[in-house]
Amino acid sequence: MKPNLENWFEEQRDCFDIAEPGDGHELRFLNKLKETQVEEKTVKKLDWWKPLASAAAIVLIVFAGYATLKPANNGAELAAVSPEMAKTQDFFTKAIEEELYNINEARTPETQELVEDALIQLEALEKDYQELTEDLATSGEDKRVIYAMIANFQSRIDLLNTVLEEIESIKKIKNDVYEDQLL
């Protein structure tokens, strides 16, 4: 079979070679080849910048995240006063985190504005607490400052509890309205 196929191509060779390339075809081809080689060399020179730029961006993001998330603590925490105050601070911190979690779980489009307002108020209370930590460091464990810090924690928990109750109230009203529409 192979010799027959080769013989057939030899016999048909004149049918295949009917078109000749135009004048200057080889010169145009070589010019295009040179252009693509120049572009490839340029791209290869710039390829090492991409990983370097990516690494620099990652380092910058990590540094900025670390600097942002780790607050500058010029003051003394409540936990530094005594072991009992450390337990108190842990209790309040966990309670606040739990309430925030519950609020975020209960968040709906109807309660979005309420939650955002509560978060703004919570942020203001957090700023007040940061000022109290600075006051505690300068006052030398003044009891009034310690009581104010505990009151700040209680205010945050009260705020979050109130918001959670209002969210539940809104949900109940929404369910009652829905049930009335069904009847």
Side-chain angles (χ1 to χ4, degrees), residues 155-166:
S155 296
R156 287 192 260 177
I157 291 174
D158 290 343
L159 170 70
L160 296 174
N161 281 331
T162 303
V163 170
L164 206 55
E165 288 171 3
E166 288 182 29

Side-chain angles (χ1 to χ4, degrees), residues 22-55:
D23 291 336
H25 172 74
E26 183 177 359
L27 182 62
R28 287 191 309 270
F29 176 76
L30 291 175
N31 286 338
K32 286 183 180 180
L33 186 62
K34 287 179 184 177
E35 287 175 9
T36 57
Q37 288 175 345
V38 169
E39 289 175 6
E40 288 177 6
K41 288 179 182 177
T42 306
V43 170
K44 288 180 180 176
K45 288 180 183 178
L46 296 177
D47 277 346
W48 65 275
W49 282 100
K50 290 178 184 177
L52 184 63
S54 297

Side-chain angles (χ1 to χ4, degrees), residues 90-158:
D90 287 342
F91 169 78
F92 281 123
T93 303
K94 288 177 185 174
I96 290 169
E97 288 173 358
E98 185 178 327
E99 292 297 320
L100 278 173
Y101 177 79
N102 292 337
I103 287 173
N104 283 326
E105 287 295 311
R107 181 185 283 196
T108 63
E110 292 85 13
T111 62
Q112 183 71 23
E113 188 175 330
L114 176 67
V115 172
E116 287 175 0
D117 184 48
L119 293 176
I120 290 170
Q121 292 177 26
L122 195 64
E123 188 175 313
L125 287 169
E126 179 65 29
K127 286 180 185 176
D128 291 344
Y129 182 79
Q130 292 303 323
E131 290 176 11
L132 288 170
T133 59
E134 292 172 10
D135 290 346
L136 184 64
T138 58
S139 71
E141 300 180 12
D142 186 3
K143 296 233 185 267
R144 293 174 297 176
V145 176
I146 293 171
Y147 291 139
M149 292 173 88
I150 293 171
N152 181 282
F153 276 126
Q154 289 172 336
S155 296
R156 287 192 260 177
I157 291 174
D158 290 343

